[in-house]
Amino acid sequence: MIIGIVIGVAAFAVLVVGALSVRIVREYQRIVLFRLGRAIGVRGPGLVFINPVIDRTNWVDLRERYLEIPSQTAITGDNAPISIDFIIFYKVMDAQMSVLVVQNFAGAALNVAATTLRSVVGDMPLDDVLSKREDMNALLRVRLDEVTERWGVKVTSVEVREINPPPGVLEAMTRQMSAERTRRAQVTEAEGQKAAAILASEGQRQAAITLAEGTQKATILAAEGERQAAILKATGFSGGLEKILEVGRTLDENTMMLQYFDTLKQVGSSPSTKFIVPMELSSLLSGLRTLVPVEAPTAPSGPATNGDANK
């Protein structure tokens, strides 16, 4: 009976010790193992056996985590007080250093973040703090990572969540925003007027070009018409002259003389006191004698005298 109780107690003790000696470590976890107070390494992931009597363990989570930094008041480079809160994203890169080097990473990171924020904001004017948030995030990440690197922790990102300037600055920002919107509206209106003027000028230019082209074509057509009319007129005049010459070749000299006299008759009937007589008048008159017969003079009636008889 006593032997059975002893065996049962021993079996229970073995089960208890076996349960305390086994650790199941997940993929994102690590165990920093201490034996008799000395760190002997990192265990995991998977099934890990330890000595529950002399070994002690510290669990480390390797997943990326975040730490909220409450609102901190800082003074900008141009002496403007401003309240900022942000978030730090970090990840443990060396599990053993994160346990051995720093006691409370969250508390240490909170204090380092506050002092680093004041240092960074103190080197920037208020306008840069408000407008260059990405630059401030990058600078904070670099500064914090320089400190946390020796703790085996990597700061992966820093995101400024809210920036609260003082009321006076907010009022000035509101006025500035209103003035900027007014300026943009005026610029947009001026650009619209400029575009409209350019379009109107372009339309007038195109209209002037079209009018000039139309005038040019009309002038060309008019000149072409006048040329065709002149050609037709010259052709008709040439034909008339050829006809006159053709008829003139069939006329004799007497007909031409009569035509000359008819022309002189018309000139004589003119009221003008000056006449232009062609040089060929003498030849015309000589030609006329050939056409008009000359009669002999008749003797006077009555008795003839001696003197007349003698003559």
Side-chain angles (χ1 to χ4, degrees):
M1 186 66 180
I2 297 175
I3 295 175
I5 294 173
V6 172
I7 293 173
V9 172
F12 178 76
V14 170
L15 291 176
V16 172
V17 171
L20 295 175
S21 301
V22 177
R23 298 288 187 273
I24 298 176
V25 183
R26 295 181 176 87
E27 184 67 30
Y28 57 84
Q29 294 176 329
R30 297 292 185 272
I31 291 178
V32 179
L33 186 61
F34 291 88
R35 179 166 295 166
L36 298 176
R38 294 179 64 85
I40 62 173
V42 179
R43 301 291 187 270
L47 190 63
V48 177
F49 294 95
I50 64 172
N51 188 340
V53 178
I54 61 176
D55 292 343
R56 295 293 180 269
T57 59
N58 281 77
W59 293 79
V60 179
D61 194 331
L62 300 183
R63 291 176 294 182
E64 186 172 4
R65 307 176 70 179
Y66 71 91
L67 181 64
E68 294 185 3
I69 308 300
S71 180
Q72 302 290 326
T73 302
I75 305 298
T76 62
D78 49 0
N79 298 322
I82 191 170
S83 178
I84 302 176
D85 64 343
F86 58 100
I87 303 175
I88 298 175
F89 294 87
Y90 65 94
K91 184 178 181 180
V92 175
M93 305 301 294
D94 190 329
Q96 185 169 338
M97 289 183 63
S98 67
V99 174
L100 298 177
V101 177
V102 61
Q103 179 182 4
N104 181 5
F105 174 77
L110 179 63
N111 288 279
V112 170
T115 56
T116 303
L117 174 67
R118 292 185 177 91
S119 175
V120 171
V121 173
D123 295 334
M124 300 175 64
L126 179 61
D127 290 340
D128 290 347
V129 173
L130 296 175
S131 61
K132 298 181 179 180
R133 183 173 298 188
E134 294 296 330
D135 296 341
M136 186 169 62
N137 291 339
L139 189 57
L140 283 172
R141 186 192 64 80
V142 172
R143 294 282 186 88
L144 290 173
D145 190 53
E146 291 175 355
V147 177
T148 60
E149 186 179 6
R150 65 175 183 266
W151 298 341
V153 179
K154 173 71 175 178
V155 177
T156 58
S157 178
V158 175
E159 296 294 335
V160 174
R161 185 165 55 182
E162 188 176 2
I163 300 176
N164 296 317
V169 175
L170 287 176
E171 183 180 357
M173 291 171 58
T174 303
R175 292 198 303 267
Q176 181 180 3
M177 181 179 64
S178 177
E180 180 65 20
R181 292 184 181 275
T182 302
R183 184 188 68 81
R184 291 180 181 177
Q186 293 176 352
V187 170
T188 303
E189 182 179 2
E191 290 178 351
Q193 293 177 355
K194 176 183 176 181
I198 291 173
L199 290 176
S201 177
E202 183 66 21
Q204 293 177 358
R205 187 179 70 85
Q206 292 293 338
I209 291 174
T210 304
L211 179 61
E213 290 178 351
T215 304
Q216 181 184 12
K217 291 181 180 180
T219 304
I220 292 173
L221 291 176
E224 183 66 22
E226 292 178 357
R227 188 179 70 85
Q228 294 291 338
I231 291 173
L232 292 175
K233 184 177 180 181
T235 303
F237 186 72
S238 175
L241 290 178
E242 290 178 356
K243 188 67 176 179
I244 292 172
L245 291 175
E246 183 181 355
V247 173
R249 292 190 186 98
T250 60
L251 298 178
D252 55 4
E253 186 178 357
N254 295 330
T255 304
M256 292 298 296
M257 289 181 182
L258 292 175
Q259 188 67 30
Y260 274 124
F261 276 109
D262 185 62
T263 302
L264 289 175
K265 181 180 178 180
Q266 293 178 3
V267 171
S269 62
S270 174
S272 178
T273 58
K274 293 182 179 180
F275 302 98
I276 299 175
V277 178
M279 297 179 64
E280 293 85 359
L281 182 60
S282 58
S283 61
L284 291 175
L285 294 177
S286 61
L288 183 61
R289 292 193 186 99
T290 61
L291 293 177
V292 180
V294 179
E295 296 181 357
T298 58
S301 62
T305 58
N306 295 327
D308 293 333
N310 292 329
K311 292 179 181 180

